[in-house]
Structure formats: structure tokens, C-alpha cells
Amino acid sequence: MTDDDTTVNEPAGESDLRDRQYGIYQCNDCENVVLTLQDCDGGMTCHGQVMERVTDVNIDIQPPDVKQVLLDAFGLPKPGLDICLCVIGEGPMPPADVAEHLDYDETTVRRYLNRLVDIGLLEKSQLNREGGGFVNVYHSIDVTEMRRDTLIGFYAWAGEAAALIEEANLTKEEYLDEDYSEGLNDVFWEKFESES
């Protein structure tokens, strides 16, 4: 806000990247671009040269929604996140206790618990019952390990997304260089439908 209470906006289609919790650096000699959560001014290099921090981008970047990020990167919608946070916060729990605590269907809870184990956010073990038999219980992995693994998992997903964007850019470039009878829209979507 300014003194006259009017909102100051960035120009349409431009995003300022200076005061972010992450840094994006680019090489001035090649097309290498890197993302880091650490402050690397003067430390990030490519070809033996210090990379330049990117401070703005000419497209409008919408802030991500945590639910959408977890859904896209890990296939984990809100119920899965609720279940994960419940187990992390309440300690080792069998599916029935998680279902009761969250008022979710136990079948849904079991499905998400197994998915969370597959992702690597939770672990499953068996406890012997006094009257015989056993029960599966779910518990959190080490928080430091979880932080590292989820960041690496997200970076791997982001790398896959970046590779798709680069392939899309190359498809557009190829279209402009070739004489296609179809429009870019048809060529573009046909290319990616055939690969999915």
C-alpha cells in the first residue's frame, strides 16, 4: 500500500523473485537453470563461473496451494494429508483408531495409510495382541528423514515437470520450423497424448 491507500501491483505477466524463500540461478553461458532453498549468492557455479540469480520472470506465477502440490507431486489429496498428520501427531495407530479419530471410513483410511507407506511418509509394523494374533500399526518416519525425502521427491517431480515444459517448448519450436498442415494446437496436444 502507498500513502494514498492504493495497491501497487507488479506489471501484468511479471513476477518478482527477489524476496522468496528459494533462489533460482541461471548460467550466462548455457541454458542451465537451478533451484535451491539455500542462499547461494556467489556459490552456485556452472562451467566454473558464478551463476546469476534470477530476480524476475516475465510470466505471472500463481502461488501454489499446498493441497494441490501434494496431490500433483505425491498423489495425496486432503484426506491423505489428514491421515498422515493424524498418525504423525498421535503416534503409532492402527487403521481403526485413525478412522475413529478423523471420522473417516476405515476402508478409506487403510487405502491412504498403505499409499503413505508406499510414498515413504509413514512406516507400518505389526504388534502382537495379548489374546493372540497381531494388528498393523502405522507410525511416522524420522522427521529429518521425512523432510529430506519429501523435498527430494518434490524436486524429482519438479524435474519431471520441467522436462515436460522443455519438451513442450521444443515442440513449439519444431512446429515453427516445419511446414505442418495442422495448427500448433493440434500438433502440440497430439505429441503429448501419444506419450501419456
Side-chain angles (χ1 to χ4, degrees):
M1 296 291 229
T2 59
D3 291 338
D4 62 356
D5 286 338
T6 57
T7 304
V8 176
N9 293 322
E10 297 171 5
E14 198 172 293
S15 294
D16 185 347
L17 303 175
R18 283 180 280 237
D19 296 324
R20 305 295 169 112
Q21 294 176 324
Y22 57 87
I24 299 174
Y25 293 84
Q26 67 184 6
C27 177
N28 291 320
D29 295 331
C30 70
E31 296 179 4
N32 193 16
V33 177
V34 296
L35 166 69
T36 179
L37 291 180
Q38 304 298 320
D39 183 15
C40 293
D41 285 335
M44 192 66 69
T45 61
C46 186
H47 307 296
Q49 300 295 318
V50 174
M51 298 177 81
E52 178 183 350
R53 182 156 185 175
V54 177
T55 58
D56 58 31
V57 63
N58 292 329
I59 58 175
D60 187 24
I61 306 298
Q62 298 301 313
D65 173 71
V66 70
K67 288 183 276 189
Q68 194 62 46
V69 169
L70 292 170
L71 175 61
D72 290 342
F74 302 110
L76 190 60
K78 185 181 182 309
L81 182 59
D82 290 345
I83 291 165
C84 185
L85 294 175
C86 178
V87 171
I88 291 169
E90 301 297 322
M93 298 177 78
D97 290 357
V98 176
E100 183 180 329
H101 188 80
L102 295 174
D103 196 25
Y104 282 177
D105 177 73
E106 190 173 336
T107 305
T108 301
V109 169
R110 287 181 188 280
R111 187 175 70 246
Y112 280 116
L113 285 169
N114 288 325
R115 175 76 178 121
L116 291 162
V117 169
D118 291 344
I119 292 171
L121 296 176
L122 297 180
E123 292 179 340
K124 177 169 76 170
S125 56
Q126 295 179 342
L127 292 179
N128 293 324
R129 293 179 184 232
E130 288 182 15
F134 64 88
V135 64
N136 288 324
V137 294
Y138 295 81
H139 50 93
S140 174
I141 65 171
D142 176 71
V143 175
T144 303
E145 181 184 344
M146 180 185 292
R147 179 182 179 273
R148 178 189 173 277
D149 288 351
T150 54
L151 276 174
I152 290 172
F154 173 76
Y155 286 163
W157 178 86
E160 295 294 326
L164 277 175
I165 290 171
E166 180 62 9
E167 189 173 348
N169 287 330
L170 292 173
T171 299
K172 290 182 274 187
E173 191 174 284
E174 177 185 317
Y175 172 84
L176 295 174
D177 290 342
E178 298 292 327
D179 185 23
Y180 284 99
S181 59
E182 303 170 81
L184 175 58
N185 197 38
D186 294 329
V187 170
F188 186 83
W189 294 117
E190 283 175 15
K191 164 93 172 150
F192 290 98
E193 283 176 8
S194 67
E195 294 179 5
S196 59

